[in-house]
Amino acid sequence: MSATYTPCPDVRFFLALNITAIVYRPLTQFEVDLTITYSILFTIILIPNALLVGVICFKRSLWTHSSILVGSLCLANILFCFLYILPVKMMVIGNSEQTFTNIYCQLSHNVIQFAFVCCMNFHICSISLEKFIAITSPFWYNQISIYKSVMFASILLICWILPAFVAFLPLIIGWWRVCPYFCLMSEIKENRKISLQAWHIFWAFLMFLLPTIVTIIFYVRIFLVAKDHANRIRAENQSRSNSGSSPFGLKAVKTVAIVVGVYVLLQTPYNVYQVINVLDKTLSRRVRKLHIREWLFYLASWNSVASPIIYGFFNKNLRDGVMSLFWRCKTVRTRASSSSTLLS
């Protein structure tokens, strides 16, 4: 027995009835405000991410596992801008007579958003894993080994392929079907409510909760190992301070607090709201006019700005690479201005 799905509307039917507003409608004031705010965010995301990707690509000394993971995260942030923020939040794609536009509209809200947010969070989790390996197994980490390269290549593949596969999973197993002539995903009718709740809870778990727990565990372990290492060195040198705290310990606490704190602060509200929205439809209907979900996702999207700045700042090699690029640009500008002065 074949499964039954919710019906797929057809924009051609509405246009034949001269109901053109379903395709050619003016933007609401909220959509205009959202377009402006996302345009600002789009620019702010691109600048630090493109800068880090450029520095890593053109400076061979930065072709390390740590820098490549950060560069891959920045690339995910850039693609998130062009494949989701630009068409969905700035151009506000919707119902169209074009099949491709309708399909992309459906995939952007149900697949692309999940895939890229999950991909970026997996990268943040992988960076914490890389730092954990570097501090707990420094001799193995600093060796040139084919096994280490294979391991990091596998981590990168998991960060990109697993979120994409899971995002398309409802389409693969037949929960959803694409409607070619309307921006609305057709869903299987059997156990529709249970399937929707299970999917969104799983979505929040895989996209946010799992990477967050793993990241916090790794950074706490990094802090404990680093603190233990600092205490051993201090004991061997017999230079224990009277206050009982060391600058290294304070620096480690600050690093962990900033990396984990910013990530949790930006991501938690949206994912908590997503779970509440699925479990309690009454509450979601009450606050729908306030557009809480849109603004919470806008807040979560700022993680694409914070992550390159944080990881670029705390990675000495990346920080030096960016500074050297600025100094080089400044030198070129000074020489150009000097040459123009001499010619005049």
Side-chain angles (χ1 to χ4, degrees), residues 135 219 222-224 226-227 246-259 314:
I135 199 168
Y219 274 114
I222 289 169
F223 167 69
L224 294 176
K227 186 179 179 181
S246 64
F248 181 85
L250 293 174
K251 184 180 179 182
V253 172
K254 189 185 296 184
T255 303
V256 173
I258 291 175
V259 172
F314 283 109

Side-chain angles (χ1 to χ4, degrees), residues 161-208:
I161 295 176
L162 183 60
F165 173 76
V166 175
F168 279 97
L169 190 59
L171 288 168
I172 295 172
I173 63 178
W175 278 3
W176 300 341
R177 277 187 179 178
V178 174
C179 294
Y181 296 106
F182 207 87
C183 181
L184 179 68
M185 198 77 75
S186 178
E187 300 172 349
I188 192 169
K189 287 185 177 180
E190 186 180 0
N191 298 324
R192 181 186 176 192
K193 184 178 179 181
I194 297 174
S195 300
L196 190 64
Q197 289 180 344
W199 171 246
H200 277 86
I201 292 172
F202 174 71
W203 180 340
F205 171 77
L206 185 67
M207 185 175 69
F208 171 71

